[in-house]
Amino acid sequence: MDWNHQTAEELVAALRAGEVTSVDLTDEAIARIERDDTAINAICVRDFDRARIAARAADDARARGEDRPLLGIPVTVKESYDIAGLPTTWGMPTHRDHLPADDAVQVSRLKAAGAVVLGKTNVPLGLQDLQTFNEIHGTTNNPWDQGRTPGGSSGGSAAALASGFGALSIGSDIAGSLRTPAHFCGVYAHKPTLGLAATRGMVPPPGPALPEALDLAVVGPMARSARDLTLLLDVMAGPDPLTLGVAYDVTLPPARHERLRDFRVLILDEHPLLPTGAAVRAGVNRVADVLVDAGARVERHSPLLPDLAEAAFLYTQLLFSSTVARFPVEAFEQLRSRAARLSADDRSLDAARLRGMVLSHRDWIETNRLRELHRHGWRQFFAEFDAVVCPVTPTPAFPHDHQPDLMQRRIDIDGAEYPYFDQLVWAGLATMPGLPATAVPAGLSSDGLPVGVQLVGPMLEDRTPLRLAELLEETMGGFQAPKG
């Protein structure tokens, strides 16, 4: 049997039943990578020797009667996570030789759960792109169309999963970096509630790996099934043992419902600041039709929905204020001069990005206050609804675009061009207030490209969008392997 496209849940069952060994699974995964990854370039750092040792240890542990959640399951890890003895570069040439001494907290949790780490997956420079390429490791291609991007910044992980290179992967998300690659590659990903999963060791080189409470940024699971997301989130969730973990454990509330017919869902397929392409609208509406047919309460409008335009501006300013925090003084002063020349009535997202880069601490505090008002609005919204179904980005995967000035790039939406970073408005819907969001496949476009949607749920009720994802997978079908 070809095990490489099986779910982690199926592999765990086969291992428990004695139908296969971890050594078998690991050898098959390595053989698949060695055969196919030259064309995809998803696995940028291979760790096959240690993987085989870990697989033998997993089989020995199982023979002794041990049974951990991921015991013997081959997985990959985004390059940006520290793994002792392997380079962590974030795609930055100046740090190509950086070797951390310790595992990131999430890598430690994977290993404690019994996972077999095959290697690390490719990322864009500094994790700051919706594509995946860098000078050190080159370009990662979309397994569905190698002329297109797999997304970013967890693009290597999504491409690996779609290609059968390991059953699970872990990534990170501040601007859709879990959700966009899942959408572009036809796999699953979950952006947890802000702060739910510890991030220590997912840090730009040279570190140090401190237990910081990051704004906007999260780490989370990627998989080929919704149930696997839940399996991996249970391994990842919990505070850092150096900080809140001293006093607190995590117990997530159960999903609000167990049947599709009981869910109350708001469908969004248009954003006030950016059109949605026909292929993505069709995917959103396929999910809406399934929900309606199942008897769920489905709405298209609600006065309780927080203002999406204001939310996008707040998100843009918060996001870009963090991107320049370590810029050289000269570069920062140039940005401040450019921002000062903006017209007071320029309300474009481009202007919001520039203003965000030079946000004063006083202005950041006011922006954060407005974010808290949005969070309160979402609490009121989720008293009446259980989830929002909406796009991840306005288009399926787009062709590689390596224009070095990201501000000069454009995204094509049904023949019309828009600023490249405008497509982040959908990622920001969940990221700005810190809500959980699950990216799920929703079929293929007329061009044969995967289309996904995101299911946004209430804060710290991550099991609700995850359960909705499971039910949709059961009804619609889920992951499809790329042809060829």
Side-chain angles (χ1 to χ4, degrees), residues 48-378:
F48 294 164
D49 288 344
R50 291 198 298 186
R52 288 189 167 105
I53 293 170
R56 289 194 293 272
D59 288 335
D60 290 344
R62 194 172 292 281
R64 294 192 301 268
E66 294 185 28
D67 189 11
R68 286 171 269 157
L70 303 178
L71 187 59
I73 302 299
V75 306
T76 60
V77 171
K78 188 175 180 177
E79 198 270 0
S80 49
Y81 285 87
D82 286 350
I83 299 181
L86 298 182
T88 297
T89 70
W90 289 45
M92 299 184 224
T94 53
H95 296 295
R96 66 170 67 243
D97 297 321
H98 174 61
L99 291 174
D102 300 303
D103 289 342
V105 65
Q106 294 299 342
V107 173
S108 296
R109 288 175 179 176
L110 277 180
K111 291 179 178 179
V116 174
V117 178
L118 298 167
K120 304 180 83 174
T121 58
N122 203 16
V123 297
L125 176 66
L127 311 193
Q128 294 187 350
D129 203 344
L130 283 81
Q131 303 177 69
T132 296
F133 65 94
N134 63 74
E135 182 180 318
I136 301 173
H137 298 301
T139 300
T140 299
N141 298 316
N142 192 310
W144 289 84
D145 180 343
Q146 293 176 25
R148 296 176 185 266
T149 179
S153 62
S154 306
S157 288
L161 287 167
S163 301
F165 305 160
L168 301 167
S169 195
I170 57 173
S172 61
D173 192 312
I174 192 172
S177 289
L178 285 159
R179 293 162 285 166
T180 297
H183 158 49
F184 284 178
C185 293
V187 298
Y188 290 79
H190 181 70
K191 186 201 87 66
T193 296
L194 181 65
L196 177 61
T199 60
R200 177 164 48 90
M202 225 290 299
V203 59
L210 301 174
E212 297 179 72
L214 301 176
D215 189 31
L216 300 175
V218 302
V219 296
M222 306 182 77
R224 286 190 293 269
S225 81
R227 290 175 65 88
D228 281 0
L229 290 180
T230 302
L231 175 69
L232 185 48
L233 182 66
D234 285 346
V235 170
M236 299 181 73
D240 194 304
L242 299 183
T243 56
L244 295 178
V246 172
Y248 299 118
D249 292 322
V250 165
T251 303
L252 290 174
R256 290 186 175 187
H257 308 294
E258 290 297 323
R259 302 178 300 179
L260 278 180
R261 60 191 265 185
D262 296 327
F263 276 85
R264 304 164 297 170
V265 179
L266 180 70
I267 303 294
L268 299 177
D269 63 0
E270 290 291 351
H271 195 281
L273 301 181
L274 190 72
T276 304
V280 172
R281 284 201 313 276
V284 172
N285 288 315
R286 278 193 291 272
V287 173
D289 290 343
V290 167
L291 291 167
V292 169
D293 290 345
R297 178 188 138 196
V298 176
E299 305 287 347
R300 294 277 180 169
H301 305 280
S302 172
L304 294 172
L305 182 70
D307 186 293
L308 294 185
E310 182 181 60
F313 285 113
L314 293 174
Y315 169 64
T316 297
Q317 291 194 303
L318 291 167
L319 175 65
F320 281 83
S321 71
S322 68
T323 64
V324 301
R326 298 181 182 179
F327 269 30
V329 173
E330 298 81 5
F332 181 78
E333 289 302 328
Q334 289 176 2
L335 290 170
R336 190 151 63 177
S337 296
R338 286 175 52 198
R341 293 194 295 270
L342 288 171
S343 169
D345 59 1
D346 187 342
R347 299 295 299 164
S348 67
L349 284 169
D350 267 344
R353 283 185 275 275
L354 185 52
R355 291 187 180 111
M357 289 179 189
V358 297
L359 214 58
S360 69
H361 184 60
R362 180 177 185 274
D363 290 339
W364 190 94
I365 293 294
E366 175 59 16
T367 303
N368 187 55
R369 185 189 71 83
L370 294 173
R371 168 167 53 181
E372 289 300 333
L373 291 175
H374 273 256
R375 283 177 172 153
H376 185 62
W378 280 110

Side-chain angles (χ1 to χ4, degrees), residues 31-41 146 163 165 484:
R32 175 68 67 96
I33 293 167
E34 291 177 335
R35 188 190 78 189
D36 294 344
D37 198 37
T38 300
I40 304 301
N41 192 34
Q146 293 176 25
S163 301
F165 305 160

